[in-house]
Amino acid sequence: MAYNNAEQLEEFRLETRKWLEANCPPSMRTPMVDDEVVWGGRNATFKNPDSKLWLDRMAEKGWTAPEWPKEYGGGGLSRAEARVLEQEMRRIKARAPLFSFGLWMFGPALLEFGNHEQKLRFIPDIVKGKIRWCQGYSEPGAGSDLAGLQTRCEDKGDHYLINGQKVWTSYADKADWIFCLVRTDTSTKHEGISFILFDMKSPGVEARPIQLISGESPFCETFFTDVKVPKDQLVGRLNGGWEIAKRLLQFERSSISSSGFGGTGSLSPEEYAKQLIGTDESGRLLDGDLRGRLADHRMYAKAFALTVQRQTEQAKAGQAVGHTASILKYGAAKMNQDRHELLIEALGTEGLGWAGEGFDKGALRVTRQWLRSKGNSIEGGTSEINLNVIAKRVLGLKDHQ
Ligand SMILES: Cc1cc2nc3c(=O)[nH]c(=O)nc-3n(C[C@H](O)[C@H](O)[C@H](O)COP(=O)(O)OP(=O)(O)OC[C@H]3O[C@@H](n4cnc5c(N)ncnc54)[C@H](O)[C@@H]3O)c2cc1C
């Protein structure tokens, strides 16, 4: 049933509230910490069994992807209904049941460019969190200049054969499948790229984790040696992959900006500053300079959230995401990095910890997130590249000669 008018929406709200009250486990109504983030996939592990229960219940209703078509396992909700669901989840502080490149990037692109069989095959497993996807875009010689990618894909009659290397492939060692950009024509640049999908268990695929200074390995070098891919796993037309690639980047940039890089469970800079620096008799932070900058940041964050909300509404009302995604991605990166600078400043010496008992757990998490936030202006297209897109595609400026 579609709920269109105010009365029907109110009915939907009450039903949703009742359902959430009955089905969202109490432990899923608490702030999430990094190591409890649910990414799903064949090898998914759940630290807290309630995470699985919550994911399964939400997926059953299609509410991990509330607005995707019911035909492919989505919730089939209208924008207005999805907003009610968001509000009701926020009301009880419900966690997002699933974090997934499938939900944020690949699924929306497949719904737009895939054929019916591909959607039936792949979309329901994204909604249920059964298959975890990774993104095979960047190569050692092709990051900002993505269209310079060299991974070869040859037509061998009854299958494609892939040889080449990707890099910075986030979680390639944990993902089940990859959506990948490959070169199918070497005589031309953008028009020689195709968009293809394959199982990371295919013979010839090797993901080597890149060890960071933190000891973590969030991304991999990914090698393909004579990887055979069935022909029905090509999305769109042969050599038509660049259009899909760009669209998917818009979904990526747009989802990054609406999640604000999805920081998990730390106190706000104001809360830390008040705790550690102290307040005057009227409750104001003692450090006047920091107070002013915190206020500036809060105003920026509020204006940014409203802009994202407006853009989301426009997108849902049928106005394409488009190049405004670059504005928002740029703004979100700046905002998240500023926020972490303020957090570290507010923490003072508490922010110098790396591990061990001597530091508060929340402060240790902030220090690591501060370092992680440095990547925000690189991932999903660097800030410089997004500024180029804004200059050319939004403002219509010409290249400087
Ligand atoms: C946390 C994180 C996760 C990532 N996950 C993935 C992933 O899952 N899959 C994937 O495929 N990739 C991933 N990437 C890679 C990311 O997309 C690239 O790092 C990014 O596109 C930049 O490419 P590059 O590293 O080759 O830098 P380069 O393109 O070599 O750029 C180097 C510097 O030069 C600047 N520059 C380059 N060209 C221009 C220009 N024309 N004008 C002005 N400045 C320019 C850039 O802004 C940058 O500062 C991830 C990166 C990070 C940090």
Side-chain angles (χ1 to χ4, degrees), residues 196-315:
I196 201 161
L197 318 172
F198 50 94
D199 194 319
M200 291 295 281
K201 284 219 171 80
S202 311
V205 176
E206 190 195 349
R208 290 187 204 155
I210 301 172
Q211 186 93 354
L212 302 187
I213 196 170
S214 62
E216 290 173 358
S217 299
F219 17 56
C220 296
E221 296 178 287
T222 313
F223 298 89
F224 310 127
T225 312
D226 289 336
V227 180
K228 278 184 173 182
V229 178
K231 287 199 134 173
D232 60 0
Q233 287 167 208
L234 182 88
V235 180
R237 64 179 175 80
L238 190 70
N239 295 323
W242 186 242
E243 191 192 353
I244 307 174
K246 282 190 300 180
R247 190 85 181 108
L248 187 141
L249 277 177
Q250 289 175 347
F251 288 123
E252 179 178 6
R253 288 168 187 168
S254 168
S255 76
I256 284 177
S257 41
S258 36
S259 70
F261 289 96
T264 49
S266 72
L267 293 179
S268 71
E270 287 90 342
E271 285 165 317
Y272 270 124
K274 283 186 173 178
Q275 270 184 20
L276 295 166
I277 300 171
T279 54
D280 64 17
E281 59 287 347
S282 56
R284 293 187 326 163
L285 183 66
L286 280 175
D287 181 334
D289 172 53
L290 184 59
R291 191 171 67 226
R293 284 182 292 124
L294 286 167
D296 281 348
H297 176 72
R298 193 191 273 202
M299 283 190 284
Y300 182 97
K302 182 75 188 160
F304 186 76
L306 289 170
T307 309
V308 170
Q309 194 183 330
R310 193 184 67 223
Q311 192 261 350
T312 310
E313 299 294 327
Q314 283 173 347

Side-chain angles (χ1 to χ4, degrees), residues 101 135-140 142-145 167-170 219 372 375 378-385 388:
F101 291 1
Q135 178 184 33
Y137 272 35
S138 306
E139 296 183 4
S144 299
D145 182 20
V167 72
W168 311 127
T169 329
S170 296
F219 17 56
R372 171 64 185 83
I378 302 174
E379 61 201 287
T382 67
S383 286
E384 291 77 15
I385 291 301
N388 282 350

Side-chain angles (χ1 to χ4, degrees), residues 42 78 83 145 261 311 317 319 324 340 364 372:
R42 284 178 194 142
S78 66
R83 200 169 38 224
D145 182 20
F261 289 96
Q311 192 261 350
Q319 296 174 29
T324 50
H340 282 90
L364 288 176
R372 171 64 185 83

Side-chain angles (χ1 to χ4, degrees), residues 94-233:
R95 293 181 188 180
L98 179 63
F99 286 69
S100 132
F101 291 1
L103 283 179
W104 304 328
M105 313 180 207
F106 171 57
L110 192 71
L111 284 170
E112 200 168 317
F113 295 97
N115 60 37
H116 179 60
E117 287 69 34
Q118 289 170 334
K119 292 180 202 173
L120 274 180
R121 182 174 170 193
F122 297 114
I123 297 285
D125 282 349
I126 295 176
V127 173
K128 295 196 179 98
K130 288 196 166 164
I131 294 291
R132 183 168 177 180
W133 288 84
C134 64
Q135 178 184 33
Y137 272 35
S138 306
E139 296 183 4
S144 299
D145 182 20
L146 183 59
L149 62 96
Q150 297 297 330
T151 293
R152 286 294 306 277
C153 172
E154 295 166 88
D155 187 339
K156 293 290 181 186
D158 63 341
H159 65 272
Y160 291 112
L161 194 68
I162 299 183
N163 279 286
Q165 185 197 339
K166 298 286 170 184
V167 72
W168 311 127
T169 329
S170 296
Y171 309 117
D173 53 334
K174 300 188 175 63
D176 305 309
W177 276 66
I178 186 166
F179 50 94
C180 194
L181 295 180
V182 288
R183 180 149 301 285
T184 36
D185 184 346
T186 50
S187 67
T188 165
K189 195 171 178 183
H190 299 79
E191 293 75 25
I193 293 170
S194 298
F195 190 102
I196 201 161
L197 318 172
F198 50 94
D199 194 319
M200 291 295 281
K201 284 219 171 80
S202 311
V205 176
E206 190 195 349
R208 290 187 204 155
I210 301 172
Q211 186 93 354
L212 302 187
I213 196 170
S214 62
E216 290 173 358
S217 299
F219 17 56
C220 296
E221 296 178 287
T222 313
F223 298 89
F224 310 127
T225 312
D226 289 336
V227 180
K228 278 184 173 182
V229 178
K231 287 199 134 173
D232 60 0
Q233 287 167 208

